[in-house]
Amino acid sequence: MFVGRQKQLAALAAALERTPGAVLVVGEAGIGKSALVREFTRGVDALVAEGGADPGTALQTAAAHGVQAGVHGVQAGVHGVQGGVPYAVFVPVLRRLVREYGAGLVPGGGRKGLARLLPELGDLEEHPELGRARLFEEVLLLVERAAERRPVVLVLEDLHWADQASRDLLAFLLRNLTRPGVLVIATSREPLRLPMAEVLKVPPLGRDEVARMLGGSEGEQADIDRIVARSEGNPLFVEALADAGTATTPASLRELLLAGAERLGRASLDVLRIAAVSSSVSPSYGGSRTPHEVLRAVAGLDDLALDEALRPVVRARLLLVDGDGYVFRHTLIRDAVYDDLLPGERIRLHTRCAEARPELAADHWYAAGDRRRAFEAAWRAGRWERVLELWEQSDSPDDGSDGGMDHAAVLELAAKDALHAGDAERAEELASRALDEVRDPLRAAHLLELRVAIRDLLGEEGLADLREAIRLAPREARLIGALANTLAWNGQDAEARAHAEDALALGDSRSLVTLAALTALEGDLATASRLHAEARAAAPDDDTVLAAYAGEADVLEAAGEHAKAEAVARRGMAQAKRLGMARSRGAHIAANLAEPLASLGRWKEAREVIDAALALDPPPIHRAWLLMVLGTVAVWEGALEEAADVLDRARPLMRGRSRGYDSCLEPDLLEGRLAVAAGDVERAGRLADHVLSAHDLTLSRRYAWPLLVIAARTGRVRQAPAGMETTGRVQEAYQATFEAECGGSWAAAVAAWRTVGQPYALGQALVRAAEQDPESARELLREAAAIAERLGSAPLRQEVEAAAASGRVRLTAEPGLSARELEVLELVAEGLSNRQIAERLFISARTSGVHVSNIMAKLGVASRVEAAALARRTGLL
């Protein structure tokens, strides 16, 4: 019987009124979290989709670390077998939404992401690099588009047991749900850090509520007092104590939970035990719920006999009716019933459940101790980690192979599953083990390609693996195209072009993107844009379309065509959103949009684009590129602490050279800019020494000249390394700046930056040109000051003011001070009082005070200190 909780019900109702939102319902085991949620959802006008975590994996992990999982100090034994299925919490939820509205709510019918968790959608369209990102996007789209039809309440039970993949997906949803109509309700025994979630604690019941729950009369007050004291207001224990009766006081929680079960008849107890065994395995395949048909098959009863056996169990509320099946009122009851089974009973019941539930047969055979049958069932179900585990436990490694598949093939499939689940480290380990076992060249080549995709996410270079793959399979167009792209990233242009042309001739249209990038480096932007357009038209998949947008925006920005780069990037972002790829490739394009906005001085807009993309929790390398632009903007604005924090966050994401020298050098450039802006010459010098000694700058097209500018400013170099190439207006402007730092003309640098249209870089060059040309200093510094004001750049403003003070250049219009007032102002700046000024100028103190007052009025300042500071800053003194 549900009693009380009116305050909590009101809080849930209020949350539903202000969707999107989330509520985390927290309370100890048995306190009534699930009952509260059921009572609330029973009366809502919404589609309720329920999922939850199973304790099996969590307790197995805890046991491995010596952790006890219990309630009130009593271990809650769980012996259900888990296959380590990621996203287990969400599978029932997604299945409910798809069955209600169909997978057509997301692009491609879910076969690019959702099919990873819902095999009924058909074969998954593989793309390992974007697997996890695409899955997250499709889940978000499915939920939000379902809510457009009818409000949706997602109920996620027992989140404290959730796998990490499920928690990551939940955090992503909570950060990115923007449309009304979606309420997420999660339950947990302990507080969890969930973004945007309201925490709702479920307290113990009071005495009056316990009395109402038991329906006790005045004559039963003593029993109620005993139950209140013993249960501590926990509804589950209240019911169990009431079931146990007044004559007994169970000594343990297990006895308490079994008190109601022990009074059942033999047939009813058998059915309860079958339900405990059936629901002790993976919830991601529906294991936490026992269908009526399964109970009938395992129990061997006809319909009438089964109904008679079930009725007392349901009446005692040990099992609750759930559609055409049954669930335990609480997992602790299920665990207690399961623990009470004798070993032989468990084996027999798991065996019968395996025969009745093919989708869960692998887990049941495993629990029954029949590893061969568990292996065969896992193989049929595609549970590759479980297959691998059983294979490696077997004394006969060849047992169970099917359809010509061997151990290496299982390793490869398990590696793909791990990659899709976001565990790149495990995926690399499995792929490498598979490579050690295969002897067929073509199989080895494909495994090398898989490992390149995995290592790319880990920031590791794939050139060696790709070269070896092509040696083994010289006519595989996709491999040749991947090698061409990687070579282009690393500045090996001639070889990259040759391989890209070979791949294109063999049918790899993605290589058009690589050829376009190489063509742009040669300065032919028109042809590069045409190749990008051809790549989009011939694209074999959505990712290639978006890669072409990203590539075109990138080469246009590198060439100084900032406005064109912005336009292309905006088209690409719109397409990514339409395709449901805003989080993956869309975040990549967001970086390509933020960069020209930053170059053009539209820093607020750049920040908005970056913030929106980062909120989607994009893949690591895309997040790193966004952070690089954010850090640069922060340096230019003068937010140096923020820039330092961004650098610390980005560096770990850009380790290695998986994206070539440009990507590798980008964090170094940000650190150098930060050091220069902070006036830390020593740090800037150390950074320059590292870059010059550790890197071949001739391989970088984007960041070599900017880094050389920093090296020249710190006195580390006086001439560029041999072999440096300069393509496009931006690199020509950086080269002119480098030459000016080495003693050349700053006027030439100013002229170069004027053609590019980057106001911040122009402002810096104007300041240095003013220092080099005193006669033109006033005009140059005034222009630089206007740029600093328009951009809101504190560092540039400080550079302008320092140069003006050093060159005694007046930045503002004449304030109309007389010769005598200028004399007085100079003495004010020295810190003299009115009396001291009077003595110095042989005038009265009263006259001195009048002069000071007039000066302050003309300068528009409120104090002598402000007057002195303004005079120095603007060049009056």
Side-chain angles (χ1 to χ4, degrees), residues 700-714:
S700 171
R701 295 294 193 275
R702 295 288 295 274
Y703 306 119
W705 281 116
L707 282 163
L708 283 172
V709 168
I710 294 172
R713 189 161 189 171
T714 58

Side-chain angles (χ1 to χ4, degrees), residues 565-782:
E566 177 193 355
V568 170
R570 289 196 185 279
R571 291 200 301 273
M573 286 188 67
Q575 182 79 335
K577 187 175 182 180
R578 284 193 296 271
L579 294 171
M581 298 178 68
R583 178 177 179 262
S584 51
R585 188 65 75 175
H588 178 185
I589 301 174
N592 294 132
L593 173 58
E595 193 170 10
L597 291 174
S599 296
L600 292 166
R602 292 155 58 185
W603 297 342
K604 182 180 178 182
E605 292 179 65
R607 281 185 173 276
E608 290 171 351
V609 170
I610 293 167
D611 289 346
L614 289 176
L616 295 175
D617 190 23
I621 193 65
H622 299 161
R623 185 162 67 250
W625 292 337
L626 289 161
L627 289 172
M628 284 294 99
V629 183
L630 177 62
T632 301
V633 169
V635 168
W636 290 346
E637 289 176 335
L640 302 188
E641 289 186 6
E642 179 190 8
D645 176 67
V646 167
L647 180 62
D648 290 341
R649 290 159 57 194
R651 269 205 184 279
L653 304 176
M654 303 184 78
R655 65 188 187 279
R657 293 176 178 169
S658 69
R659 298 297 171 127
Y661 261 82
D662 279 349
S663 189
C664 181
L665 288 170
E666 200 169 358
D668 289 338
L669 176 58
L670 177 56
E671 181 176 353
R673 285 170 167 165
L674 176 60
V676 170
D680 191 340
V681 179
E682 183 179 349
R683 181 183 180 186
R686 287 197 308 270
L687 183 282
D689 291 339
H690 160 72
V691 168
L692 293 169
S693 63
H695 298 285
D696 181 357
L697 293 183
T698 63
L699 296 178
S700 171
R701 295 294 193 275
R702 295 288 295 274
Y703 306 119
W705 281 116
L707 282 163
L708 283 172
V709 168
I710 294 172
R713 189 161 189 171
T714 58
R716 264 42 182 195
V717 295
R718 302 303 294 173
Q719 62 181 25
M724 288 287 297
E725 296 183 7
T726 306
T727 303
R729 293 177 302 189
V730 174
Q731 298 306 313
E732 289 169 356
Y734 275 120
Q735 182 180 8
T737 304
F738 170 77
E739 291 170 353
E741 290 282 6
C742 295
S745 168
W746 277 103
V750 168
W753 284 114
R754 288 194 192 282
T755 67
V756 172
Q758 291 190 15
Y760 184 80
L762 174 60
Q764 288 186 309
L766 287 166
V767 172
R768 303 298 298 279
E771 295 171 344
Q772 196 177 59
D773 182 7
E775 292 185 2
S776 304
R778 184 177 181 185
E779 179 183 350
L780 295 170
L781 289 177
R782 283 189 173 183

Side-chain angles (χ1 to χ4, degrees), residues 766-853:
L766 287 166
V767 172
R768 303 298 298 279
E771 295 171 344
Q772 196 177 59
D773 182 7
E775 292 185 2
S776 304
R778 184 177 181 185
E779 179 183 350
L780 295 170
L781 289 177
R782 283 189 173 183
E783 182 180 357
I787 292 173
E789 183 68 23
R790 185 173 71 254
L791 295 176
S793 172
L796 182 56
R797 183 174 61 249
Q798 291 164 4
E799 289 182 37
V800 171
E801 291 172 352
S806 175
R808 300 178 69 84
V809 174
R810 205 163 27 247
L811 296 176
T812 59
E814 295 286 354
L817 299 182
S818 66
R820 173 62 81 179
E821 285 169 340
L822 287 172
E823 287 183 286
V824 171
L825 177 58
E826 190 165 353
L827 297 176
V828 167
E830 292 179 16
L832 273 61
S833 67
N834 287 351
R835 182 173 296 279
Q836 291 170 321
I837 293 172
E839 292 174 353
R840 182 78 65 87
L841 297 178
F842 303 103
I843 57 179
S844 69
R846 186 172 182 282
T847 301
S848 171
V850 170
H851 284 314
V852 171
S853 297

